[in-house]
Every structure is written in structure tokens, then in C-alpha cells.
Amino acid sequence: MERKSRARSAAVLLLLVFSLFGVTACGRGEKGGMTGSFPVKLAAEGSYLIMASQDASKDYIDALTVAQDLHRNALTETFTPEDISSAESILTRHKPRYAMVFLKPEELDVNFAWAWLTMIAELDEDPFADVRTGFITGESPEKVLLFLTRIREAVEGRLKLPLQAVDNLGPNTMMGKTGFQKQKGSFMIPVLTGQFPVYTISHGIQGFSKERLLSMDGSGIVHFGGHGYPDRIVDCLNGPYARQLKLSPCAVFNGACYTGVTGKWFELFNASGKVKEHSVDPGTSFAFGILGNSAVAYCAALHPDHGIPVYQEMEYLCYSGASLGDMMKYTYDGVVIGAGGKLPRFERLKGGMPSPRWAPADIMLKGTASRVLFGDPSMVLCEAFTGQPFTISVKQIDDRTLQIRAALSNLQLKSTYSDTYHADLSKDKTLFNDRAMVAAPLPEGWGAVKGIKVEKMSSGSKELVHRPVGYALEKDGEKSILHVQVDVPSSGYMSSEFRQAGAEAVINVTRDLPSPRPPSSKRE
């Protein structure tokens, strides 16, 4: 189908570049970057809540104790996963910024993840997620305790995440079956390379053998790419080998489909025309393999997702210095704007129902919305070390109109400027549009927006074809933030005329003024 065709074409282009030209580093160079280990800490902003299902509160009591010790001001509440309203009432009452949610493996599937996202987006009137969430589960209570212990020791500085990254691109069908390359630098996320050592791995369909299980050691950030299922990355690692993989303490980012599954999963499209329900064996679950290894955080999907949003997450951390929970919120924000300014409606999946009739963009939007964080949502890996994607200015034109100017300002970012859901503006429909996705703080008094108009998308002196994708206003405490996405045509894989320093999006924002109050009829 179209989604697979686009992903496959992009992968072929990427692997061709890797194979023919190698990978080169860019940026300030390692001497100008950080040294030692990632300065892991907890974000200080906002309140914290620890939540557990009834069963998890009994089985994971030791791990809960570690979490409570790490977050001494946090309250602990229990809820019933089958009744999401029981969690909603707790969150409405406490209004936390962060929530660590303990679940048994069988309680976490894509239906729950979508229901949770919908619920935390509906806690106020805007369509954005309001609670930064991290899920805690594992193959056994003992493994869950070890995961929480690693998190605590990393935050306390007793467990070091080496200041190095490795990007396993997944199998390269253009290499020999047993071929294996590990090279310094990164084609996919070059912004990392000016700060610390980065390595990229590409291998043939039989290239990631037992002898390669040591090849990802020594890195505090680990990325996996490729096609995936709950028990494996196709022609790469499977769940049992993920347990044997030699890893240093690390945060793991996985872009392969289904690799966050801990129990139930759904096969949407097959010859029967009906959804098939499956359950992964705990001993072969890729997610359990990573969570039971050396990870202190794991980001992955519970459903077919798309490999580029995970790189967008990593780039977001580079320029924001934000928590992992804020990073996941950024992913969900992108789903909202990519869907036209509203959170998609998520059908509850069950075996035997007709396969959904989703457009390719729907498949990718809903798949990306299934991405979750396993770990502490307030964990911060490091401070920002690169510039924002846009330099944003907001100017009031008159009582009803603001003008937002967003000038592209960081050419080291790459995936950030790709719309991974739409290809309508590009001549080659296997390539995605490029985008300007902007979050602009609005001045006081602009708590409501009537509409937007894209005045111009330009690169140098040239005006670009463009299409507004969506916008929505977020209320975050006293702040009003307008999120807008405007797409432009791509000219190649992650390239367009828009990707030039100073390229600009000019967007006018209008509001309704309150009607004047009628004169009082009272006599003085």
C-alpha cells in the first residue's frame, strides 16, 4: 500500500547514500561538545503523580517504593484500566504535570494507549495532551524493580550513561547478506555529531549475528530502525537476542513497528479482510528484551508507526533540553496538528472486526499516536545543545490581527522539517512534504483565535507553493501557544527549497473582539 511504498522508497534512498558515500560527521566536532556521561536529572517544573492499576499496585510494590523514594512529594493513586474514567477523575483532581503509570503487561495495549491519550487531551478544552506520561511494566516484578532501580541510580549519578550514541539503521538489502558496517557519524541525525561520538550501523539481512551483540555497547543513546513486529526487528534482532545484546546504561529509541508491545497486538490488514488479534509470548517480546537489559528509558510503538517521528523526538531533545515526557507530548502535538488541528478519533480494535478503511495518513497518524515512553517522564538526558528550528517573532498588526514570522534557523536539524503524514505537494508521491511546524507564544489577551492565513512561504526571494495543514491553540496555565503547520513540496528525500537559512513562514492570526456592552438602562 501507499504507506509502505513511501517508507520503502525512503529507506532505499537512505541506504543507497550510506552504502555509496559512507557517513560523515558535521557540527562543532567532539572537542567542542560535552564530555563524560549524559547529565541525567529530573525536571523540577510541575507536580508529579504516581499511579498504578489495582493488580500492579500489589505485584510491583517494591518498584513502587523506589518510585516513591525518587519522587518524595508525589502522591500515589490506584485506578482500574478497564474504566479509564477512574484515572480521569484522579488526574482532574490532582492536575499533575507528570504521571508515572504502573501497569501489568496484559493491561497495556494500543487500545489502552489511545484511550489514555484521548483522556489526557480532554482534561481541558484544547486538543493537546496535558499530562506527561511514562509507563512502567515488565516481564516480572523483579525485572520491574531492576528497571526502577536503574532509573533512580541514573538520576542520582551512580549509573552513568556514556556520552555516545549509536544508530542501527536496520537491514540493508543492498549489502551482502552477512555484510556489516559500523562507521563514525550520522546521515540521519547529524545534529548529534558535533557534541559527542556517534556511530551508524548498517548490515545485511543476516549481518546482525551473534558476533555483533557487542557492537552497540558504550552508548548512552541507542536507536533502532527497520520494520518490526512485537518479537523482532525484521532481519535484525529478535526478542531473545535483545536480552543478550551488550548495552551500557542507555535511553533507547525504537522506530520499528510494534516493538513496544508487551501483550496484546492487532494485525489490521490481511487476506481475510478482518482484524486479527494476537498476543506476544513474554519470552520473545522485544520490549521486554530491552526493558530487562540496561535501558533506563525506552520509547517505542504499540502498533505500526513510522520510522521518522522517532528521529524527530531525538532532535527535539537536542534543541529543547526537555524531559522525556515533554518529548512524547511533542510527538502527540504533531499528531494533532498533522490531523488538521484535532486529535484523531481512535476506533477500539478487536479481533474479527472488518479491517479499518483508513487512508495512508490515518494509518501513520494513529500509529504515531501509539508511541509510548517506558520510564520516568520527568527524566532529562541533557541540556539543549543546538538552536531552535525557527526564530519566531510575533507582532500585533491591529486589535484583531497578529503576524507570526518563523525563519528557519537550524540547518543541522533534519527530520524536524519533514511531514511524515502527507505527500500531496510533492511530485514524487513516495516522498513526504516538507513542513514548518511552529509553536508561537501569543501575547496576553489572545486566549481565543478565530483563524489563520498563511501570507507567505518563501526561501530567499522565491515564494513557495504551500498548504496549511492544521492549527490549534493550547492553553498551558496562563500561557497561550498557537501551534501551526504549513507544508511545502519536497524535492528529494528530506530536502526542499525551504531548507535554507532564513526561509520564512509568515502567518496572520485573527481573533474576535468582544462586543461592546450595551449602555445601562438604569437611571442615575
Side-chain angles (χ1 to χ4, degrees):
M1 58 191 307
E2 184 180 349
R3 169 185 177 270
K4 290 182 178 179
S5 174
R6 288 189 214 159
R8 190 176 297 112
S9 298
V12 168
L13 278 169
L14 166 61
L15 295 171
L16 179 63
V17 170
F18 184 89
S19 299
L20 296 181
F21 299 105
V23 181
T24 58
C26 65
R28 292 187 296 160
E30 291 160 26
K31 291 183 180 179
M34 298 176 283
T35 58
S37 58
F38 285 97
V40 178
K41 65 178 182 179
L42 298 182
E45 180 185 6
S47 59
Y48 202 100
L49 184 64
I50 298 169
M51 302 179 67
S53 69
Q54 298 288 347
D55 288 344
S57 68
K58 300 170 187 173
D59 292 354
Y60 300 156
I61 189 167
D62 291 336
L64 275 162
T65 300
V66 174
Q68 291 161 343
D69 184 57
L70 186 60
H71 296 279
R72 299 196 174 184
N73 294 324
L75 296 175
T76 302
E77 298 272 10
T78 57
F79 72 103
T80 306
E82 297 81 11
D83 178 16
I84 202 72
S85 64
S86 65
E88 183 178 9
S89 62
I90 293 169
L91 294 173
T92 300
R93 186 165 68 251
H94 294 296
K95 295 181 173 59
R97 182 178 180 86
Y98 298 102
M100 180 184 284
V101 181
F102 287 76
L103 293 170
K104 297 300 295 293
E106 62 272 17
E107 295 172 330
L108 179 62
D109 64 7
V110 67
N111 285 326
F112 179 84
W114 283 342
W116 183 271
L117 176 56
T118 301
M119 183 263 295
I120 62 174
E122 292 178 346
L123 294 174
D124 61 15
E125 294 181 357
D126 68 49
F128 299 101
D130 298 299
V131 181
R132 288 83 173 152
T133 305
F135 294 104
I136 302 293
T137 192
E139 191 172 359
S140 67
E142 293 76 21
K143 292 290 179 67
V144 175
L145 174 60
L146 287 172
F147 183 42
L148 260 295
T149 301
R150 288 196 301 273
I151 291 172
R152 181 177 65 182
E153 291 181 348
V155 169
E156 294 174 347
R158 293 184 286 128
L159 193 68
K160 303 293 186 181
L161 277 63
L163 199 62
Q164 179 176 294
V166 62
D167 185 357
N168 186 339
L169 299 176
N172 180 351
T173 56
M174 299 178 68
M175 295 179 70
K177 285 186 178 181
T178 59
F180 185 92
Q181 288 182 337
K182 181 177 179 180
Q183 293 181 267
K184 201 167 189 178
S186 174
F187 171 73
M188 283 302 299
I189 186 159
V191 70
L192 293 180
T193 58
Q195 294 299 316
F196 41 79
V198 182
Y199 294 89
T200 302
I201 290 174
S202 183
H203 59 81
I205 59 174
Q206 296 176 7
F208 207 95
S209 57
K210 287 182 179 180
E211 294 75 25
R212 306 299 183 186
L213 293 175
L214 302 177
S215 63
M216 302 182 77
D217 191 21
S219 292
I221 288 180
V222 173
H223 171 265
F224 291 101
H227 296 293
Y229 289 97
D231 63 341
R232 68 193 186 280
I233 298 174
V234 178
D235 295 326
C236 186
L237 281 170
N238 60 22
Y241 277 127
R243 290 160 170 77
Q244 300 176 41
L245 189 68
K246 181 70 168 65
L247 293 175
S248 299
C250 58
V252 180
F253 298 84
N254 202 330
C257 299
Y258 290 120
T259 47
V261 171
T262 61
K264 190 190 305 178
W265 62 283
F266 298 90
E267 178 189 348
L268 293 188
F269 305 107
N270 52 68
S272 73
K274 297 190 180 294
V275 172
K276 290 186 178 180
E277 182 178 316
H278 305 278
S279 186
V280 66
D281 182 88
T284 64
S285 164
F286 194 95
F288 284 158
I290 296 298
L291 293 172
N293 199 307
S294 298
V296 301
Y298 181 47
C299 302
L302 303 174
H303 198 59
D305 64 335
H306 190 281
I308 299 304
V310 68
Y311 283 116
Q312 293 172 344
E313 291 168 2
M314 295 168 74
E315 288 187 343
Y316 176 78
L317 290 181
C318 295
Y319 67 76
S320 70
S323 68
L324 294 175
D326 277 306
M327 179 198 73
M328 291 310 304
K329 180 186 180 304
Y330 165 79
T331 293
Y332 303 145
D333 290 352
V335 170
V336 168
I337 303 305
K342 60 186 183 302
L343 191 69
R345 185 180 69 84
F346 302 108
E347 300 89 333
R348 185 172 181 83
L349 301 178
K350 61 180 180 180
M353 68 183 290
S355 295
R357 301 181 68 179
W358 294 343
D362 295 321
I363 296 171
M364 290 179 282
L365 284 161
K366 295 180 182 186
T368 301
S370 80
R371 290 188 60 75
V372 296
L373 164 68
F374 295 93
D376 191 324
S378 70
M379 177 180 283
V380 177
L381 294 180
C382 63
E383 299 294 329
F385 56 79
T386 192
Q388 295 283 324
F390 297 96
T391 299
I392 298 172
S393 63
V394 180
K395 177 182 177 182
Q396 185 156 341
I397 305 299
D398 54 42
D399 286 347
R400 296 178 182 272
T401 312
L402 290 175
Q403 187 168 89
I404 297 171
R405 287 183 173 269
L408 194 148
S409 56
N410 190 344
L411 292 175
Q412 282 193 302
L413 301 175
K414 192 167 188 177
S415 299
T416 295
Y417 302 120
S418 289
D419 176 349
T420 60
Y421 310 121
H422 306 101
D424 56 297
L425 298 183
S426 299
K427 291 180 181 178
D428 184 345
K429 298 307 178 185
T430 66
L431 299 176
F432 292 102
N433 299 341
D434 260 10
R435 72 178 186 184
M437 194 171 83
V438 176
L442 301 187
E444 186 177 350
W446 283 78
V449 170
K450 180 181 180 182
I452 68 161
K453 180 183 178 183
V454 181
E455 292 293 311
K456 185 173 65 171
M457 293 286 286
S458 62
S459 183
S461 60
K462 183 174 182 179
E463 293 202 19
L464 304 177
V465 173
H466 60 270
R467 178 176 70 85
V469 173
Y471 76 92
L473 186 68
E474 178 181 15
K475 296 290 290 182
D476 185 9
E478 297 300 315
K479 296 184 291 186
S480 297
I481 303 165
L482 184 67
H483 298 259
V484 183
Q485 180 177 322
V486 185
D487 277 14
V488 297
S490 60
S491 55
Y493 181 64
M494 289 197 188
S495 64
S496 70
E497 292 181 288
F498 185 66
R499 294 190 189 222
Q500 295 184 32
E504 192 174 47
V506 181
I507 303 162
N508 280 2
V509 183
T510 57
R511 65 172 176 176
D512 280 329
L513 290 177
S515 302
R517 296 180 63 184
S520 174
S521 60
K522 275 189 174 183
R523 292 185 179 180
E524 296 295 335

